[in-house]
Amino acid sequence: MEPQIPKGFRDFLPERMRLRKRLIAKMTDIFERFGFEPLDTPCLEYAETLLGKYGEEGDRLIYKFQDRGERMVALRYDLTIPLSRVVAMHPEIIKPFKRYHIAPVWRADKPQKGRFREFYQCDIDIIGTTSSYADGELLVITYTVLKELGFKNFIIRINNRKILNAFAVNNGIGEERLPDFLRSLDKLDKTGLEGVFAELTEKGLMNDQLRTSLTAMTGDSAAADHNESLALLDSIVMGHEAGRQGVAELRILHETLQASNVDPACYRFDFTLARGLDYYTGPIFETIVTEPKIGSITGGGRYDNLIGLFSKETFPATGTSFGLERLITIMEELGSAESKQSLTQVLITQFDPQLMPHNLRIAGMLRDAGINTEVYFSQDKLKKQLTYASHKAIPFVAILGPDEHRDGKITVKNMTTGNQETILQYDMESWFRTQLLQP
Amino acid sequence: MEPQIPKGFRDFLPERMRLRKRLIAKMTDIFERFGFEPLDTPCLEYAETLLGKYGEEGDRLIYKFQDRGERMVALRYDLTIPLSRVVAMHPEIIKPFKRYHIAPVWRADKPQKGRFREFYQCDIDIIGTTSSYADGELLVITYTVLKELGFKNFIIRINNRKILNAFAVNNGIGEERLPDFLRSLDKLDKTGLEGVFAELTEKGLMNDQLRTSLTAMTGDSAAADHNESLALLDSIVMGHEAGRQGVAELRILHETLQASNVDPACYRFDFTLARGLDYYTGPIFETIVTEPKIGSITGGGRYDNLIGLFSKETFPATGTSFGLERLITIMEELGSAESKQSLTQVLITQFDPQLMPHNLRIAGMLRDAGINTEVYFSQDKLKKQLTYASHKAIPFVAILGPDEHRDGKITVKNMTTGNQETILQYDMESWFRTQLLQP
């Protein structure tokens, strides 16, 4: 039988897993530092829980099937809808509820380069508060994660659905055509302003005032400093109460970012950010990396009405999602990837089969000292054993022969420098410690 | 819409996640100390990869479905078959390949108390060596994990398929009836010896010699010391070469356990251990916990022919699996469960909305010092904020009022003792550090 992995799916061998695990550990650490706690939900949900939440395209991409003649079930498509279901089912959860969730999701997409059917999302969400400080905190965390991962060239783009709504209304687009308008605006990066105009014309949404306003808003002058950007947004939402509220919310985001020492060059109030999903109601944000040019690596926003779909009560909510796969791609391209070195630090070779119990005892001593230690199991030639250590990039080996054993000694070898010494077993732990600490 | 979770599936809220995460971190740490490295495989496999590997019952329980008109796919049923597929597909992997994998698996079982359709397995396997020291190492790790988790009453039962085969042949049961015989013997714990005899009679496998031998092997005298047990096994396999090899392998396991300082009371050579799966070829083992009486919590064995199903080459292999859900149940029953305390260590209250930028700045200082800190977002009464901290079991709060702000001070409060002081902001970090270290 020919072994095959399903198309669009991946195995992660140890060398690639190391970087993934390091990244997840780093993010978990930061999330917990900000008071977020872990939640896990099943990989399967009832299909009806997911359907109709992600638009037509989304519904098509959901993996769904019959659960043994019972009900239609589906593989989780993102982490936000399962969170919403959990919050609706558990009114006892204390609010604000700050949770993180790092887990795979599935999309029955056409497999292609860089597009997978199974991939990890890392989400943080805050449920139960309308405070814009909550939205601001998500941005501070985004910044902290990217900085601590060593990213240099990134910009967090920030907008507010309330501002976009006000702009649309002020420029003759009715409430009911708003999603249409946003979907066209969302393509600005891809098609340019002329492309957006063409699409709006096709949809019958174009008018002269809109042309003038959009041209003004997307010109170079829009990229001024933060206070100027906010003043410009004030001018757009003129006379529109919810719109003014939207700008006030962004001022609190700005205040939060400033008070948290976030580099002002790393964020931008950007009127052209629209974000695809229909359920956003307030601040929206995404992060783009400018080098390497790879598109957005985080995205999120406030969704005050979504949980109400599952519950009589509504819960204000805001959240953001990190794309683990893209973060890893960037880290690999930036050369900040994990070293090739094995997690194993010492290999105890098998020099004399009679001495195996002593090899095992010595390995136990090193492990008790917190040193990752492997014992060579087979009676192979020493040369083959050293080749194994070198292929696996295990940095140190230890060799116990009859002479060493008699004298309570052991031969230790640094595989990088080739340096080899025979030392007392008693001194072994400190020898390895010293060597492991060297750069 | 009524929010529902599919039957047989579970959400893990933060309080329960803490223990799960702690357990997984502990196991990961131990696995890496022994030189195991992480591997991850997709949750979905082609159905044909899984079918026919777990017996009839297993095939029935596999979640399978059509992948968008392409091929039948299935949710992973265990972690051993995906590992076998990976090894067959990647001949470049250096052997011995020692990997761990901690991940969910799915079984379309009838949901009932304590039985779930989605649950975690924690597997360690060593591929590419026939050495019994590899099997022995799995047992040392089993012991280390259970000891470090604080388990006291457990016994690792050890047997060898080669010994069972020899016993069967020496007692008039043909090679082709062996699986039948093992399946009956496997029920000894449930049905007692008479139950096994009845089933063997029904299957037409019973004879006088078998009755005498089985009675002798399962009597009290079988529970003597390890050397006596091994001598007894020697007598069973008399004249059967592979059987003698089987006992010799168990002697190496014994040597490995002794050299690794494993408490002799925690393992037993137990002729009656049969293990369900057909693919085992050598040593087999499982761990039972005697208090609370919960059945087996680990199980595994050598499977030298399984990977050959996927590959022209065959690879000797041995592995064991820990049942995460049962480990957690026991830890909860033993009262060794995680404390209810939040991961958040300090809540910065919002005393004066004007001072929010300073609250944020102070939170940043504490986080930089590695202290998990939450900022209260809303303008609620202080009493409500303290109630929030107390309900979430956050151990400390900090309060910044206008007076404190003017004087560069802050009021800090220990929520457990009620102790409250106003200190310099400059001294805040060391104050929390000192308090957090107190028992």
Side-chain angles (χ1 to χ4, degrees):
Chain A
M1 177 178 174
E2 184 71 26
Q4 285 184 307
I5 182 169
K7 268 200 201 111
F9 290 80
R10 293 168 293 171
D11 292 316
F12 294 103
L13 270 57
E15 211 174 285
R16 300 193 62 196
M17 274 301 278
R18 274 175 234 143
L19 178 59
R20 294 180 79 81
K21 279 178 64 95
R22 186 160 69 90
L23 194 56
I24 288 172
K26 167 60 83 184
M27 296 175 85
T28 301
D29 177 61
I30 294 172
F31 298 161
E32 293 185 352
R33 238 187 277 158
F34 280 81
F36 286 71
E37 304 220 58
L39 174 76
D40 200 11
T41 67
C43 294
L44 285 181
E45 294 279 353
Y46 284 132
E48 65 201 69
T49 302
L50 308 189
L51 291 169
K53 312 296 189 301
Y54 307 105
E56 250 175 65
E57 166 80 354
D59 277 2
R60 222 171 36 75
L61 298 183
I62 291 172
Y63 270 106
K64 39 191 176 296
F65 60 99
Q66 189 90 7
D67 179 13
R68 330 211 82 219
E70 293 161 27
R71 278 167 77 166
M72 285 300 283
V73 292
L75 284 167
R76 166 169 78 196
Y77 180 89
D78 74 356
L79 305 174
T80 308
I81 295 294
L83 169 66
S84 302
R85 177 190 56 69
V86 168
V87 170
M89 282 179 73
H90 294 277
E92 78 278 12
I93 293 174
I94 297 165
K95 316 288 180 316
F97 177 43
K98 301 169 73 171
R99 86 86 178 80
Y100 67 88
H101 194 179
I102 303 175
V105 301
W106 292 270
R107 301 194 180 170
D109 219 337
K110 220 182 161 67
Q112 48 184 290
K113 193 177 176 305
R115 273 261 170 105
F116 304 102
R117 291 181 154 188
E118 175 181 69
F119 56 93
Y120 269 69
Q121 284 192 337
C122 312
D123 277 26
I124 44 175
D125 291 80
I126 305 175
I127 313 290
T129 177
T130 55
S131 168
S132 297
Y133 287 112
D135 306 270
E137 181 167 281
L138 300 177
L139 302 184
V140 176
I141 295 173
T142 301
Y143 176 80
T144 306
V145 166
L146 297 178
K147 272 288 165 190
E148 292 198 14
L149 291 178
F151 284 38
K152 287 193 179 64
N153 301 296
F154 64 89
I155 292 172
I156 304 173
R157 302 169 67 198
I158 307 168
N159 198 5
N160 194 318
R161 276 287 168 92
K162 292 173 182 167
I163 296 171
L164 288 165
N165 296 2
F167 175 87
V169 170
N170 285 350
N171 287 280
I173 295 170
E175 194 87 38
E176 73 294 349
R177 301 300 306 273
L178 200 61
D180 264 344
F181 169 67
L182 292 180
R183 264 190 285 275
S184 297
L185 184 62
D186 200 26
K187 294 182 186 152
L188 183 66
D189 285 346
K190 279 185 204 147
T191 65
L193 197 52
E194 285 309 316
V196 174
F197 287 164
E199 194 173 302
L200 289 173
T201 306
E202 205 175 295
K203 287 180 178 171
L205 289 172
M206 207 56 199
N207 63 54
D208 285 350
Q209 190 193 340
L210 183 58
R211 179 182 303 271
T212 312
S213 303
L214 270 180
T215 307
M217 290 306 300
T218 55
D220 282 346
S221 64
D225 86 6
H226 298 317
N227 290 319
E228 282 178 44
S229 299
L230 290 166
L232 189 63
L233 292 176
D234 267 331
S235 73
I236 300 181
V237 299
M238 198 99 65
H240 190 286
E241 177 51 32
R244 274 187 12 213
Q245 175 62 29
V247 184
E249 289 168 3
L250 296 195
R251 287 210 156 82
I252 292 186
L253 266 56
H254 184 39
E255 177 190 320
T256 309
L257 291 161
Q258 280 184 305
S260 306
N261 289 322
V262 170
D263 180 353
C266 286
Y267 62 99
R268 186 166 78 204
F269 296 99
D270 185 341
F271 165 78
T272 64
L273 176 70
R275 303 269 317 141
L277 287 165
D278 288 347
Y279 59 56
Y280 290 122
T281 55
I284 49 178
F285 21 83
E286 71 175 35
T287 308
I288 48 169
V289 169
T290 46
E291 198 192 327
K293 218 172 157 57
I294 201 162
S296 76
I297 50 166
T298 84
R302 178 165 282 279
Y303 51 98
D304 284 345
N305 302 327
L306 184 62
I307 301 175
L309 296 180
F310 296 102
S311 167
K312 272 166 213 144
E313 232 179 314
T314 73
F315 293 98
T318 183
T320 198
S321 183
F322 296 79
L324 186 72
E325 317 297 342
R326 284 193 172 178
L327 288 178
I328 285 178
T329 305
I330 295 169
M331 289 178 76
E332 282 169 351
E333 290 200 20
L334 292 178
S336 58
E338 194 79 329
S339 82
K340 300 281 180 233
Q341 195 159 299
S342 170
L343 293 174
T344 302
Q345 296 164 310
V346 179
L347 174 74
I348 315 276
T349 58
Q350 184 174 150
F351 185 84
D352 178 350
Q354 296 298 321
L355 293 175
M356 263 304 268
H358 299 284
N359 289 348
L360 292 166
R361 181 179 51 77
I362 285 165
M365 287 164 60
L366 291 175
R367 288 174 191 139
D368 286 347
I371 296 170
N372 295 346
T373 305
E374 199 171 316
V375 171
Y376 200 89
F377 297 127
S378 306
Q379 297 176 31
D380 290 325
K381 290 227 170 82
L382 189 61
K383 186 156 181 254
K384 186 171 174 194
Q385 301 186 42
L386 294 178
T387 304
Y388 169 78
S390 136
H391 280 171
K392 276 196 70 172
I394 299 173
F396 299 97
V397 302
I399 306 163
L400 184 74
D403 292 351
E404 285 100 337
H405 175 55
R406 188 196 54 220
D407 302 338
K409 293 188 169 177
I410 190 156
T411 297
V412 287
K413 183 180 168 83
N414 181 324
M415 293 295 286
T416 318
T417 63
N419 172 28
Q420 178 173 322
E421 298 176 54
T422 299
I423 59 173
L424 286 171
Q425 288 175 22
Y426 183 85
D427 294 329
M428 184 178 58
E429 182 190 328
S430 69
W431 191 89
F432 283 122
R433 282 248 162 275
T434 312
Q435 298 268 329
L436 284 165
L437 287 176
Q438 276 165 14
Chain B
M1 177 178 174
E2 184 71 25
Q4 285 183 307
I5 182 170
K7 268 198 201 111
F9 290 80
R10 292 167 294 171
D11 292 316
F12 294 104
L13 271 56
E15 212 175 284
R16 300 192 62 195
M17 275 301 278
R18 275 176 231 143
L19 178 60
R20 294 179 79 81
K21 280 178 62 96
R22 187 160 68 90
L23 193 57
I24 288 171
K26 167 60 81 182
M27 295 174 85
T28 301
D29 176 61
I30 295 171
F31 298 159
E32 292 184 354
R33 238 187 279 158
F34 280 83
F36 286 71
E37 304 220 57
L39 173 76
D40 200 11
T41 68
C43 295
L44 286 182
E45 294 279 353
Y46 284 131
E48 65 202 67
T49 302
L50 307 189
L51 291 170
K53 310 299 189 301
Y54 306 105
E56 250 175 65
E57 166 81 353
D59 277 1
R60 222 171 34 77
L61 297 183
I62 291 173
Y63 269 106
K64 39 190 175 297
F65 59 99
Q66 188 89 7
D67 179 15
R68 332 211 81 220
E70 292 161 27
R71 278 166 78 165
M72 286 299 283
V73 292
L75 285 167
R76 166 169 79 195
Y77 180 89
D78 73 357
L79 304 174
T80 309
I81 295 295
L83 168 66
S84 302
R85 177 190 56 69
V86 168
V87 170
M89 282 178 71
H90 294 276
E92 78 277 13
I93 293 174
I94 298 164
K95 316 288 180 316
F97 177 43
K98 300 168 74 171
R99 85 88 178 79
Y100 67 87
H101 193 181
I102 302 177
V105 301
W106 293 269
R107 300 194 182 169
D109 219 336
K110 220 181 163 67
Q112 49 185 290
K113 193 179 176 302
R115 271 264 170 104
F116 304 103
R117 289 180 157 188
E118 176 180 72
F119 55 92
Y120 270 70
Q121 284 192 338
C122 311
D123 277 25
I124 44 175
D125 291 81
I126 305 175
I127 313 289
T129 177
T130 54
S131 168
S132 297
Y133 287 112
D135 306 270
E137 181 166 281
L138 300 178
L139 302 185
V140 176
I141 295 173
T142 301
Y143 175 81
T144 306
V145 166
L146 297 178
K147 272 288 165 190
E148 293 198 13
L149 291 178
F151 285 37
K152 286 191 179 64
N153 300 295
F154 64 89
I155 291 172
I156 305 172
R157 302 169 68 198
I158 307 166
N159 197 6
N160 195 317
R161 275 287 167 89
K162 292 174 183 165
I163 296 171
L164 289 164
N165 296 1
F167 175 87
V169 169
N170 285 351
N171 287 279
I173 295 170
E175 194 87 36
E176 74 292 349
R177 300 302 304 275
L178 200 60
D180 265 345
F181 169 68
L182 291 180
R183 263 189 287 277
S184 299
L185 184 62
D186 201 25
K187 294 183 187 154
L188 183 65
D189 286 343
K190 278 186 202 144
T191 65
L193 196 53
E194 285 309 316
V196 174
F197 286 164
E199 194 173 303
L200 289 173
T201 306
E202 206 175 295
K203 288 180 177 170
L205 290 172
M206 206 56 199
N207 64 52
D208 286 348
Q209 191 194 340
L210 183 59
R211 180 183 302 270
T212 313
S213 303
L214 270 180
T215 308
M217 290 308 299
T218 55
D220 283 346
S221 64
D225 86 8
H226 297 317
N227 289 319
E228 282 178 44
S229 299
L230 290 166
L232 188 64
L233 293 175
D234 267 332
S235 73
I236 301 181
V237 299
M238 198 98 67
H240 191 285
E241 178 51 32
R244 276 189 9 215
Q245 175 62 30
V247 183
E249 290 168 3
L250 296 196
R251 286 212 157 79
I252 291 185
L253 267 57
H254 183 39
E255 176 190 319
T256 309
L257 291 161
Q258 280 184 306
S260 306
N261 288 322
V262 169
D263 180 352
C266 287
Y267 63 97
R268 187 165 79 204
F269 296 100
D270 184 342
F271 165 77
T272 66
L273 176 71
R275 304 267 321 140
L277 287 166
D278 287 348
Y279 58 58
Y280 290 122
T281 55
I284 48 178
F285 21 84
E286 71 175 34
T287 307
I288 48 169
V289 169
T290 46
E291 197 192 328
K293 218 175 155 59
I294 201 163
S296 76
I297 50 168
T298 84
R302 179 164 282 279
Y303 52 98
D304 284 347
N305 301 328
L306 184 63
I307 301 174
L309 296 180
F310 296 102
S311 169
K312 272 167 215 144
E313 229 180 315
T314 72
F315 293 97
T318 183
T320 198
S321 183
F322 295 79
L324 186 70
E325 317 296 341
R326 285 193 171 180
L327 288 178
I328 285 178
T329 305
I330 295 170
M331 289 179 77
E332 283 169 351
E333 291 200 18
L334 292 178
S336 58
E338 193 80 328
S339 82
K340 300 282 178 232
Q341 196 159 297
S342 170
L343 292 174
T344 302
Q345 295 164 311
V346 179
L347 173 74
I348 315 277
T349 58
Q350 184 175 148
F351 185 86
D352 178 349
Q354 297 297 322
L355 294 176
M356 264 304 269
H358 299 284
N359 289 348
L360 292 166
R361 181 178 52 76
I362 285 165
M365 287 164 60
L366 292 175
R367 287 174 191 139
D368 286 347
I371 295 172
N372 295 346
T373 304
E374 198 171 316
V375 171
Y376 200 89
F377 297 128
S378 305
Q379 297 176 31
D380 290 325
K381 291 227 169 81
L382 189 61
K383 186 156 180 253
K384 186 173 173 191
Q385 301 186 42
L386 295 178
T387 305
Y388 169 78
S390 136
H391 280 172
K392 275 197 72 172
I394 298 173
F396 298 96
V397 302
I399 307 164
L400 185 74
D403 292 353
E404 284 101 337
H405 175 54
R406 188 196 55 218
D407 302 339
K409 292 188 169 176
I410 190 155
T411 297
V412 288
K413 184 182 168 79
N414 181 322
M415 293 296 285
T416 318
T417 63
N419 172 30
Q420 178 173 321
E421 298 177 53
T422 299
I423 60 173
L424 285 171
Q425 288 175 22
Y426 183 84
D427 294 330
M428 184 177 59
E429 183 190 328
S430 70
W431 191 88
F432 283 122
R433 282 248 164 277
T434 311
Q435 297 268 330
L436 284 165
L437 287 176
Q438 275 165 16

